[in-house]
């Protein structure tokens, strides 16, 4: 995972990145032949859903993997299973509540040494009623974006120490639902809508990758966003059966297995083809096409222009810093 000499040039290269993999590829297939021995990885939300398969695949390639979660009992069972199935004892579990900035700080402060791969995988979706953190932040934005933002910023030095670190920011096709509404991020003056809130947070995940890639390129850190695909996991726990069915029907190619859902995250975290590439959005193991919001090409595929806008990305970074500093 060393970067090429023309690293700086890669950051401004507009070539759309394609790979031999696609919709049906599994995480195990995309990591085949890649040696992660000596690399250290964190997978947030690694005790459920596609996080389990992401962590398992990185461990199978030899990485030292830390998974995080709020349910330590469930996480302990996952760790034991991954150790057994990969024959890699270097898998552990740490408590982390992304909606709690004190928990984020405690986790980051406990980390020592380099960090080569940070997979911001955890998230919540379509929380039916407006919920706020103690700071007054809307819960989905606070968990999906602000928690991961604070985590990455606090781990910056560890990522820089690695010299060739990668951040994977899990977004969603749900980012099509809404840009970041800077004038009312926390739904203080507009009616709360669970899907607009989710969409806003997923747009923020892409914008984070855009700005992190720009700010941290000189430290050898790349960041990219990914859409894992439609996977029936615990992420859908707030949705009634009819909504689940309608959501599933929106995925034109159907649902993926967890092993397929983890493939794009693992590819972006490890592929030699993506060395030095940052600030982009991938789906089905390839860089996505860019579409206009509400335009004829906006069919819930691709990445919407507002999610890649550098001005939006820079503004969101400043807003996020200010919110966390005020807290």
């Amino acid at each position: 995972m060393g970067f090429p000499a023309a690293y700086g040039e890669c950051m401004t290269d507009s070539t759309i990145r394609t790979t031999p993999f696609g919709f049906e590829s599994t995480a195990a297939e995309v990591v085949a032949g890649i040696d992660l021995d000596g690399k250290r990885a964190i997978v947030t939300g690694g005790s459920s859903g596609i996080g389990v398969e992401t962590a398992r695949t990185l461990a199978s390639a030899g990485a030292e993997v830390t998974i995080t979660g709020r349910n330590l009992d469930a996480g302990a069972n996952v760790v034991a299973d991954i150790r057994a199935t990969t024959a890699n004892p270097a898998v552990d579990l740490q408590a982390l509540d992304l909606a709690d900035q004190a928990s984020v700080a405690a986790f980051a402060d406990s980390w020592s040494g380099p960090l080569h791969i940070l997979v911001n995988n955890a998230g919540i979706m379509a929380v039916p009623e407006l919920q706020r953190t103690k700071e007054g932040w809307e819960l989905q934005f606070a968990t999906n974006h602000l928690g991961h933002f604070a985590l990455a910023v606090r781990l910056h030095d560890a990522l820089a120490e690695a010299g060739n670190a990668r951040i994977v920011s899990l977004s969603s096709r749900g980012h099509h639902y809404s840009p970041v509404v800077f004038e009312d991020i926390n739904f203080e003056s507009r009616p709360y809508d669970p899907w607009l809130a989710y969409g806003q947070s997923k747009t923020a995940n892409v914008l984070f990758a855009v700005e992190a890639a720009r700010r941290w390129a000189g430290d050898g850190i790349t960041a990219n966003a990914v859409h894992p695909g439609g996977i029936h996991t615990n992420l859908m726990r707030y949705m009634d059966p009819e909504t689940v069915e309608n959501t599933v029907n929106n995925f034109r190619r159907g649902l993926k297995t967890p092993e397929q859902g983890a493939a794009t995250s693992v590819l972006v975290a490890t592929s030699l083809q993506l060395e030095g590439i940052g600030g982009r959005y991938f789906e089905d193991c390839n860089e996505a096409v860019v579409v206009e919001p509400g335009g004829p090409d906006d069919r819930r595929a691709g990445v919407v222009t507002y999610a890649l806008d550098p001005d939006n990305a820079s503004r969101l970074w400043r807003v996020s810093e200010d919110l966390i500093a005020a807290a």
Side-chain angles (χ1 to χ4, degrees):
M1 291 174 62
F3 288 131
Y7 174 79
E9 298 174 7
C10 288
M11 292 299 295
T12 56
D13 182 358
S14 60
T15 304
I16 297 294
R17 287 323 202 243
T18 60
T19 77
F21 306 104
F23 177 91
E24 295 182 349
S25 299
T26 66
E29 289 169 346
V30 304
V31 84
I34 294 177
D35 182 5
L36 298 180
D37 184 52
K39 307 299 183 183
R40 306 175 74 206
I42 293 172
V43 180
T44 68
S47 60
S48 65
I50 64 172
V52 176
E53 299 309 321
T54 301
R56 187 192 313 278
T57 306
L58 296 175
S60 72
E64 176 187 324
V65 180
T66 297
I67 66 175
T68 75
R70 293 181 298 171
N71 186 333
L72 297 186
D73 290 335
N77 293 332
V78 169
V79 166
D81 179 62
I82 293 176
R83 288 174 177 172
T85 57
T86 64
N88 182 349
V91 181
D92 71 347
L93 169 70
Q94 297 292 330
L96 175 61
D97 181 352
L98 289 162
D100 182 349
Q101 286 291 312
S103 176
V104 173
F107 174 84
D109 289 347
S110 71
W111 186 269
S112 61
L115 173 61
H116 301 85
I117 298 170
L118 173 60
V119 184
N120 289 336
N121 168 84
I124 55 176
M125 180 173 72
V127 178
E129 303 293 334
L130 176 60
Q131 296 185 41
R132 300 187 186 279
T133 65
K134 63 183 179 182
E135 296 87 0
W137 303 334
E138 187 277 317
L139 186 61
Q140 293 187 78
F141 188 80
T143 302
N144 297 346
H145 169 62
L146 287 174
H148 280 127
F149 173 84
L151 178 67
V153 169
R154 288 179 176 277
L155 290 172
H156 168 269
D157 290 351
L159 292 161
E161 184 180 345
N164 59 349
R166 299 189 189 188
I167 302 173
V168 182
S169 181
L170 265 76
S171 181
S172 164
R173 197 167 293 170
H175 83 273
H176 288 244
Y177 295 141
S178 177
V180 173
V181 181
F182 288 101
E183 294 72 23
D184 189 21
I185 287 176
N186 291 306
F187 290 86
E188 294 171 332
S189 61
R190 56 180 168 143
Y192 175 75
D193 181 288
W195 288 107
L196 292 181
Y198 178 68
Q200 173 178 250
S201 73
K202 293 291 101 177
T203 294
N205 292 150
V206 187
L207 292 173
F208 163 76
V210 171
E211 185 66 3
R214 185 190 72 81
R215 286 178 177 248
W216 295 346
D219 299 316
I221 301 169
T222 59
N224 289 288
V226 305
H227 166 52
I231 307 100
H232 203 306
T233 69
N234 193 43
L235 188 65
M236 296 182 177
R237 64 187 177 274
Y238 292 114
M239 298 161 60
D240 60 69
E242 181 179 355
T243 303
V244 170
E245 182 178 357
N246 291 337
T247 301
V248 168
N249 290 338
N250 282 334
F251 291 98
R252 291 174 293 166
R253 300 186 64 182
L255 294 180
K256 295 183 178 183
T257 66
E259 293 81 5
Q260 292 170 330
T264 305
S265 295
V266 171
L267 179 131
V268 169
T270 65
S271 173
L272 300 179
Q273 291 181 257
L274 302 182
E275 288 186 341
I277 302 301
R280 307 194 185 200
Y281 176 98
F282 291 79
E283 60 184 2
D284 296 338
C285 297
N286 289 275
E287 187 176 350
V289 298
V290 181
V291 299
E292 294 294 333
D297 296 324
D298 182 2
R299 296 288 301 276
R300 301 293 180 229
V303 56
V304 183
T305 49
Y306 55 65
L308 294 177
D309 183 87
D311 293 333
N312 287 346
S314 179
R315 183 180 182 183
L316 178 64
W317 193 283
R318 296 193 303 271
V319 167
S320 302
E321 287 183 325
D322 290 344
L323 286 171
I324 291 170

